Amino acid sequence: MGTATGTATETAPFAGLAAEPVGHRFKGLPPDAAGLTVGELTAERRNLFTGGFTTPVLALSAERLEHNLALMEGYAARHGLAFAPHGKTSMAPQLFRRQIERGAWGITLAVPHQVRVAREFGVDRVFLANEVVDAAALRWIGAELAADPDFRLVCYVDSVRGVELMDAALRDTAAAPGARPLDVVVELAAGEGARTGVRTEAECAAVADAVAAAETLRLVGVAGYEGEVPEADPERVRAWLRRLAALAEDFDRAGRFAGTGLDEIVVSAGGSAWFDAVAEVFAGLPELSLPVLKLLRSGAYVSHDEGYYGRVTPFVRVPEEGALQPAFRLWTQVVSRPSPEQAFVNAGKRDAAYDLDLPVARTVRRPGGPERPATGITVTSLSDQHAWLATTAEADLEVGDWVSLGLSHPCTSFDKWQLIPLVEADGTVVDYIRTFF
């Protein structure tokens, strides 16, 4: 499955996406498109509002997606950061490809299954931001490394026991032709009570010693996730990032990266809420014995959102850097208007992300009419297949109207839709984004 290092080229799997039949498996697509392939439907360039699409249907804005891709590409370049966006946000290989084409070092993923998807679509560099102790998954990773010299995978370690389990599993593939050690980074926990990761610097050293003793592993750096800092605020986040940077310096001073054949030391952090702090602290990293790969992993920027990330994105704190744009719209239809104060649309928990914030009513389209702001309309609750709307006297809303909802939390928006129309501002559907959750 290898491609040129750091690229994701047009391969048979991408052609396979276009060859998939359109039908009942995919929500919201036109019923009269049954029998067409996705590629054939794409070529028709149907209009989302007049082309037979059924509600609810999730749409991704082509223009806003491109804006967000370009913005983060520029941000990483300006701040001297390599970029491995977290692909678990979308699990969409077409978006992986576009991110890599826009200069991404590779793709960050969370579990081995996601790595298998990325490999199927030609991704050659993966940062696996998790511990892997599953023997079957490790044997597969070892075989991939042996079979493809262009494939690079870096993953977390956070315990001596985990290192022992990894080493035992990887020995099964260590004798294969082309076998290579698996690159690992010691994960520094974001603090007491945080998620995974090593709690103290002394324990980090013990884990690094265990890696050095395992022939199947190679220590390449340090990493962590500042989004888990308890009671996170700018100073707490920066303090943890300084600990991470100091850990890299300590490891280098102790010679832990010497004699391993490395050409760079990996220092990695960066969710979607604090990447300004990551850029600031990483800019102050001193010279080490090898060049440093300062690897940022923010992923929610692709579609951005109208809720949590819209409030916490660093671009709110540093507006001179630009602004991300929410790219999702969930189009629903009013199916009930039982009173002047209440309405129901036909999308609920099965269709809309709701784990962080409720959807927000944005616009209304009456069949044959223009799009207008959703004045006086508020989403108050979600049932399985309905959203509850509270309406004021300003709300001009009737059964049959289409209502667009802005969504919170991109991760749980993408995972509810297997095929998402990519839509231009005039409603023309120019592509369909396939997800693999």
Side-chain angles (χ1 to χ4, degrees):
M1 281 308 307
T3 66
T5 300
T7 66
T9 59
E10 190 72 36
T11 60
F14 283 102
L17 295 183
E20 283 194 89
V22 174
H24 65 278
R25 292 181 301 153
F26 303 124
K27 298 191 289 186
L29 298 191
D32 67 351
L36 299 177
T37 66
V38 172
E40 289 167 340
L41 181 58
T42 303
E44 291 185 357
R45 294 177 64 86
R46 295 198 187 194
N47 187 280
L48 186 73
F49 307 110
T50 61
F53 291 84
T54 63
T55 56
V57 59
L58 182 65
L60 182 63
S61 165
E63 294 87 357
R64 292 185 171 208
L65 170 64
E66 178 60 27
H67 168 88
N68 292 343
L69 290 169
L71 184 67
M72 283 302 292
E73 177 188 21
Y75 184 90
R78 283 194 303 278
H79 292 278
L81 300 168
F83 191 32
H86 214 316
K88 62 96 176 173
T89 301
S90 69
M91 279 310 296
Q94 292 148 290
L95 298 184
F96 296 171
R97 178 175 60 181
R98 292 185 64 169
Q99 290 168 314
I100 291 172
E101 289 171 349
R102 302 303 298 251
W105 172 91
I107 299 297
T108 296
L109 296 164
V111 293
H113 163 71
Q114 294 172 354
V115 181
R116 291 184 62 195
V117 172
R119 291 295 289 154
E120 184 68 19
F121 287 88
V123 175
D124 274 346
R125 287 176 177 162
V126 171
F127 188 98
L128 181 51
N130 209 341
E131 282 71 34
V132 183
V133 294
D134 183 291
L138 287 162
R139 287 192 294 269
W140 175 81
I141 289 170
E144 283 288 293
L145 290 169
D148 185 355
D150 290 330
F151 176 43
R152 185 177 186 194
L153 185 142
V154 179
C155 75
Y156 282 173
V157 290
D158 85 338
S159 67
V160 172
R161 172 61 174 162
V163 169
E164 292 169 349
L165 290 171
M166 294 175 76
D167 182 47
L170 288 165
R171 286 179 204 156
D172 292 340
T173 57
R180 294 178 282 143
L182 172 59
D183 289 346
V184 298
V185 289
V186 172
E187 182 195 6
L188 177 66
E192 288 299 326
R195 199 165 59 188
T196 55
V198 188
R199 264 41 182 180
T200 69
E201 279 73 5
E203 291 171 304
C204 285
V207 174
D209 287 340
V211 172
E215 293 184 0
T216 62
L217 302 176
R218 180 173 71 161
L219 181 67
V220 300
V222 299
Y225 174 46
E226 76 290 341
E228 286 294 316
V229 169
E231 299 179 355
D233 61 25
E235 187 46 48
R236 286 189 178 93
V237 168
R238 284 174 174 82
W240 177 82
L241 286 164
R242 288 191 289 269
R243 280 186 66 200
L244 183 69
L247 182 64
E249 293 180 64
D250 290 347
F251 276 12
D252 189 48
R253 193 179 303 113
R256 295 187 182 280
F257 304 119
T260 60
L262 285 181
D263 55 13
E264 62 189 7
I265 296 168
V266 178
V267 181
S268 180
S272 295
W274 295 103
F275 56 76
D276 55 334
V278 174
E280 177 186 317
V281 174
F282 281 12
L285 275 166
E287 287 191 11
L288 302 182
S289 62
L290 294 167
V292 177
L293 183 73
K294 304 172 185 178
L295 194 60
L296 181 69
R297 306 195 307 271
S298 311
Y301 80 100
V302 179
S303 61
H304 197 43
D305 74 2
E306 304 254 12
Y308 175 75
Y309 287 111
R311 297 190 296 272
V312 304
T313 174
F315 291 118
V316 173
R317 296 188 291 273
V318 283
E320 63 272 17
E321 294 271 15
L324 292 167
Q325 298 176 356
F328 271 143
R329 284 288 182 268
L330 178 60
W331 283 97
T332 68
Q333 195 165 26
V334 179
V335 292
S336 181
R337 188 79 160 101
S339 76
E341 294 79 32
Q342 194 174 41
F344 292 86
V345 293
N346 60 344
K349 294 178 182 178
R350 301 293 176 261
D351 313 294
Y354 62 93
D355 54 328
L356 293 182
D357 295 286
L358 286 172
V360 179
R362 286 303 182 201
T363 62
V364 177
R365 291 181 68 100
R366 187 154 294 160
E371 192 168 335
R372 53 186 169 81
T375 305
I377 302 171
T378 303
V379 179
T380 60
S381 181
L382 295 177
S383 299
D384 281 353
Q385 304 291 173
H386 293 92
W388 297 57
L389 307 184
T391 56
T392 69
E394 298 176 286
D396 178 15
L397 198 63
E398 62 184 35
V399 171
D401 288 349
W402 283 36
V403 178
S404 75
L405 304 180
L407 303 176
S408 176
H409 205 185
C411 302
T412 47
S413 296
F414 276 104
D415 72 2
K416 295 177 182 298
W417 295 83
Q418 291 184 308
L419 199 64
I420 302 169
L422 183 67
V423 184
E424 292 183 339
D426 66 356
T428 302
V429 179
V430 296
D431 203 354
Y432 295 84
I433 304 301
R434 185 72 158 92
T435 66
F436 290 87
F437 280 94

